C-alpha cells in the first residue's frame, strides 16, 4: 500500500469497526466502538496540537517589557 | 490518473460540495444538538412519564385503547405502537371511522403500566421537536424532506470525489501535514484534507443513512403498495362478526415469532392492514435485531394467524439507517464522539469553502500557486 493511503485506510478500518461493533452487542462491543471511533479524533487532535503555530507576542507588548 | 480525469473529479468535488454546503452546516448545527435530544428533553421537562415499578404488570392493550377512546370520543384506534427503548411508552393513533390513511387524526401517548394519558406537544413547541423538523424537512413538509435527501446524496458524491482527488494531491505530502504559515488557502487546504480524510468513513455513513432516511416515505410507500398490498390481496374475505381484542391479535402475532416483541399493530381497515386482518409487526430484542421486522396477519374475526412475512431488504436498510445516522446505539460516550465528528464535518465544510473563496483568480495566479504547491510538496515530503 502506498504511503498516501496507509493512514487513511487504517483510520477508515477503525471507524468501520467502531461503527459496526456497538450495533452487534453491549459491554465489550461498546468499548470497541468507542475506541475505534476515537482514534481518528485523537489523530486529528494530535496533528493540530503539534503543528498549531505558536503565538507570537505583539510588538507593543514586547516593547512594554 | 489522467490529468483530464482528475480535473473532472475536482469539478465534481467542488460543485457537489458548494451546492450542499449551506444545507450541510444547518444539518451539522441541528444534528449536533439533536445528538443529545434525550438529555435536553429530560432537562426541559419534555420527557414522557414512562416510569413503572419493578415487577409491575403491563396493562392489557385493550384497556389502554379504552383510555384513548374515552379521551377522544368519536375517534377509533387505528394503530398501536411501542418504543423498544422505553417499555412504558405506548402510542395510539386515533382517527375518524372509515379513514384509512394517517393524514387526519391524533396520537395519544399512554404509560403502558399506569394508563396515564400524556399530552403530546406539537413538535414546533419543544426545542428538540423544532430542531428535528428543521433537520428533517426545513419546515417544508414532503418537498423539504426530498430536498434534504438530494442534499444528502450530493454530500455522499462530494465525499467520494474528495477521496478520489485526495490521492493525487497528497502524493508528495506527508499525511496530516498542516502548513499554517503558508497563507490562508494552503492552511485551509491542509486542514480540509486532514480532517476530511480522517472522518471520511463516518461522514459517508452518516450522509448515506441520512439520505436513505429522507427518502424513507417513498420507500415505505413502495413496500406498502407492492408487497403489503399483495399480501393483503390474498385475503379479501369481508368482516362479518365482532373483531377479537387487540390483545388477542398481539398474542397470535407473538406466537408466530417466539422470542420477539411487538413493534406495532395496525387495526383492520387502514393502509397497513386488510379490512379483516390485524397486521402485527414484531422486532427482535437485541440492538441489531430490533431493526429487523417481521409481519403477521391475524384474522380479526377468529384471532387466528393467517400469514407471516419478513420485511424486504430495503425496509431493513431504512430501519438500520436510524442508529447509524443518529448515533444513539452506544451510550453517552458514543453520543459525545458523534458530536465531535459533527463539529469536524462543519470545520471541513467551512475550510473547503474558504479554499474556494481564496482560489487563484487568474492564469498567472494559478501558475504561481502551482509553483507554491510544488515547493510545499517538497517540504511536505521532507516532513
Amino acid at each position: 500500500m502506498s504511503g498516501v493511503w496507509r493512514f487513511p485506510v487504517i483510520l477508515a478500518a477503525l471507524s468501520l469497526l467502531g461503527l459496526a461493533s456497538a450495533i452487534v452487542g453491549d459491554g465489550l462491543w461498546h468499548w470497541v466502538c468507542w475506541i475505534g471511533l476515537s482514534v481518528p479524533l485523537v489523530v486529528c487532535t494530535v496533528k493540530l496540537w503539534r503543528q498549531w503555530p505558536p503565538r507570537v507576542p505583539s510588538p507593543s507588548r514586547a516593547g512594554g517589557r | 490518473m489522467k490529468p483530464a480525469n482528475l480535473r473532472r473529479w475536482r469539478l465534481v468535488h467542488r460543485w457537489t460540495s458548494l451546492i450542499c454546503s449551506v444545507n450541510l452546516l444547518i444539518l451539522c448545527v441541528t444534528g449536533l444538538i439533536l445528538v443529545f435530544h434525550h438529555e435536553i428533553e429530560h432537562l426541559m421537562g419534555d420527557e414522557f412519564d414512562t416510569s413503572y415499578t419493578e415487577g409491575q404488570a403491563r396493562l392489557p392493550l385493550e384497556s389502554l385503547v379504552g383510555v384513548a377512546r374515552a379521551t377522544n370520543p368519536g375517534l377509533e384506534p387505528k394503530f398501536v405502537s411501542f418504543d423498544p427503548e422505553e417499555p412504558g411508552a405506548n402510542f395510539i393513533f386515533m382517527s375518524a371511522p372509515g379513514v384509512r390513511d394517517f393524514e387526519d387524526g391524533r396520537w395519544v401517548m399512554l404509560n403502558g403500566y399506569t394508563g396515564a394519558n400524556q399530552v403530546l406537544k406539537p413538535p414546533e413547541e419543544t426545542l428538540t421537536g423544532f430542531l428535528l423538523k428543521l433537520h428533517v424537512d426545513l419546515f417544508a413538509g414532503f418537498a423539504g424532506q426530498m430536498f434534504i435527501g438530494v442534499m444528502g446524496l450530493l454530500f455522499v458524491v462530494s465525499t467520494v470525489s474528495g477521496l478520489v482527488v485526495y490521492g493525487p494531491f497528497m502524493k508528495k505530502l506527508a499525511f496530516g501535514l498542516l502548513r499554517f504559515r503558508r497563507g490562508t488557502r494552503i492552511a485551509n487546504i491542509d486542514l480540509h484534507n486532514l480532517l476530511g480524510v480522517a472522518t471520511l468513513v463516518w461522514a459517508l455513513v452518516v450522509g448515506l443513512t441520512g439520505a436513505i432516511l429522507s427518502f424513507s416515505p417513498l420507500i415505505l410507500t413502495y413496500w406498502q403498495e407492492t408487497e403489503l398490498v399483495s399480501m393483503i390481496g390474498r385475503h379479501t374475505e369481508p368482516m362479518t362478526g365482532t373483531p377479537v381484542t387487540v390483545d388477542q391479535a398481539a398474542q397470535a402475532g407473538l406466537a408466530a415469532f417466539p422470542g420477539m416483541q411487538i413493534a406495532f399493530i395496525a387495526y383492520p381497515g387502514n393502509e397497513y392492514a386488510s379490512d379483516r386482518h390485524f397486521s402485527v409487526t414484531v422486532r427482535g430484542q437485541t440492538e441489531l435485531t430490533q431493526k429487523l421486522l417481521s409481519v403477521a396477519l391475524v384474522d380479526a374475526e377468529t384471532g387466528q394467524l393467517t400469514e407471516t412475512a419478513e420485511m424486504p431488504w430495503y425496509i431493513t436498510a431504512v430501519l438500520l439507517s436510524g442508529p447509524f445516522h443518529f448515533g444513539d446505539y452506544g451510550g453517552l460516550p458514543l453520543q459525545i464522539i458523534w458530536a465531535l465528528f459533527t463539529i469536524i464535518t462543519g470545520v471541513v465544510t467551512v475550510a473547503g469553502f474558504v479554499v474556494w473563496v481564496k482560489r487563484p483568480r487568474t492564469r498567472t495566479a494559478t501558475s504561481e500557486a502551482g509553483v507554491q504547491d510544488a515547493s510545499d510538496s517538497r517540504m511536505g515530503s521532507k516532513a
Side-chain angles (χ1 to χ4, degrees), chain B residues 87-291:
Chain B
N90 282 135
F91 302 88
I92 301 175
F93 186 80
M94 307 288 292
S95 69
V99 176
R100 299 184 75 86
D101 62 27
F102 290 82
E103 296 296 319
D104 294 313
R106 58 168 304 211
W107 284 98
V108 179
M109 196 274 169
L110 297 165
N111 183 320
Y113 290 85
T114 64
N117 186 5
Q118 298 173 59
V119 179
L120 274 175
K121 283 187 190 171
E124 297 81 3
E125 287 183 17
T126 65
L127 175 66
T128 52
F130 178 87
L131 291 172
L132 185 65
K133 195 102 181 79
L134 188 61
H135 190 88
V136 170
D137 64 12
L138 300 168
F139 288 94
F142 180 76
Q145 193 166 343
M146 295 303 108
F147 173 77
I148 297 278
V150 172
M151 291 296 122
L153 288 181
L154 282 178
F155 176 62
V156 170
V157 176
S158 150
T159 311
V160 173
S161 55
L163 186 66
V164 174
V165 300
Y166 174 86
F169 187 86
M170 294 297 287
K171 220 170 185 175
K172 292 178 180 171
L173 295 176
F175 169 79
L177 176 71
L178 294 167
R179 295 164 294 177
F180 285 120
R181 292 205 183 99
R182 302 304 298 252
T184 311
R185 185 162 189 270
I186 298 286
N188 277 282
I189 288 176
D190 289 347
L191 197 62
H192 184 82
N193 284 344
L194 167 64
L195 301 184
V197 82
T199 59
L200 184 119
V201 166
W202 180 89
L204 200 57
V205 167
V206 171
L208 193 61
T209 51
I212 292 172
L213 289 172
S214 289
F215 294 125
S216 63
L218 298 179
I219 300 169
L220 277 175
T221 305
Y222 175 76
W223 168 72
Q224 196 189 327
E225 289 180 356
T226 54
E227 303 214 14
L228 190 62
V229 163
S230 143
M231 188 179 178
I232 289 167
R234 291 193 284 273
H235 311 285
T236 52
E237 311 87 0
M239 181 92 175
T240 49
T242 317
V244 297
T245 64
V246 65
D247 293 283
Q248 283 172 281
Q251 273 172 12
L254 282 175
F257 297 102
M260 309 281 259
Q261 56 180 329
I262 303 279
F264 47 85
I265 302 171
Y267 275 73
N270 73 44
E271 285 177 342
Y272 289 94
S274 80
D275 285 341
R276 186 190 161 111
H277 296 85
F278 283 97
S279 128
V280 181
T281 305
V282 298
R283 58 162 67 101
Q285 308 269 4
T286 67
E287 194 70 60
L288 179 63
T289 57
Q290 270 177 14
K291 311 298 171 199

Side-chain angles (χ1 to χ4, degrees), chain B residues 5-175:
Chain B
N5 279 344
L6 182 60
R7 211 174 305 125
R8 274 187 215 115
W9 277 107
R10 275 185 169 174
L11 275 177
V12 170
H13 183 59
R14 179 188 302 160
W15 288 107
T16 50
S17 309
L18 282 172
I19 292 168
C20 71
S21 58
V22 173
N23 191 250
L24 190 60
L25 284 176
I26 295 173
L27 294 175
C28 282
V29 172
T30 51
L32 177 63
I33 303 168
L34 285 169
V35 167
F36 301 104
H37 73 97
H38 275 305
E39 289 73 13
I40 294 169
E41 282 161 10
H42 181 71
L43 278 174
M44 301 193 83
D46 292 332
E47 227 176 22
F48 299 127
D49 173 23
T50 54
S51 57
Y52 58 95
T53 52
E54 196 64 36
Q56 187 177 354
R58 283 187 63 90
L59 291 172
L61 293 176
E62 201 60 32
S63 66
L64 296 177
V65 168
V67 174
R69 277 183 196 276
T71 50
N72 296 276
L75 301 185
E76 281 184 351
K78 298 292 169 73
F79 203 81
V80 182
S81 172
F82 301 80
D83 185 343
E85 307 295 335
E86 295 282 0
N90 282 135
F91 302 88
I92 301 175
F93 186 80
M94 307 288 292
S95 69
V99 176
R100 299 184 75 86
D101 62 27
F102 290 82
E103 296 296 319
D104 294 313
R106 58 168 304 211
W107 284 98
V108 179
M109 196 274 169
L110 297 165
N111 183 320
Y113 290 85
T114 64
N117 186 5
Q118 298 173 59
V119 179
L120 274 175
K121 283 187 190 171
E124 297 81 3
E125 287 183 17
T126 65
L127 175 66
T128 52
F130 178 87
L131 291 172
L132 185 65
K133 195 102 181 79
L134 188 61
H135 190 88
V136 170
D137 64 12
L138 300 168
F139 288 94
F142 180 76
Q145 193 166 343
M146 295 303 108
F147 173 77
I148 297 278
V150 172
M151 291 296 122
L153 288 181
L154 282 178
F155 176 62
V156 170
V157 176
S158 150
T159 311
V160 173
S161 55
L163 186 66
V164 174
V165 300
Y166 174 86
F169 187 86
M170 294 297 287
K171 220 170 185 175
K172 292 178 180 171
L173 295 176
F175 169 79

Side-chain angles (χ1 to χ4, degrees), chain A residues 40-61:
Chain A
L41 299 175
V42 171
V43 167
C44 291
T45 311
V46 169
K47 290 283 181 188
L48 277 168
W49 183 268
R50 286 194 175 165
Q51 298 177 80
W52 197 262
R55 291 184 69 179
V56 180
S58 64
S60 59
R61 279 196 175 183

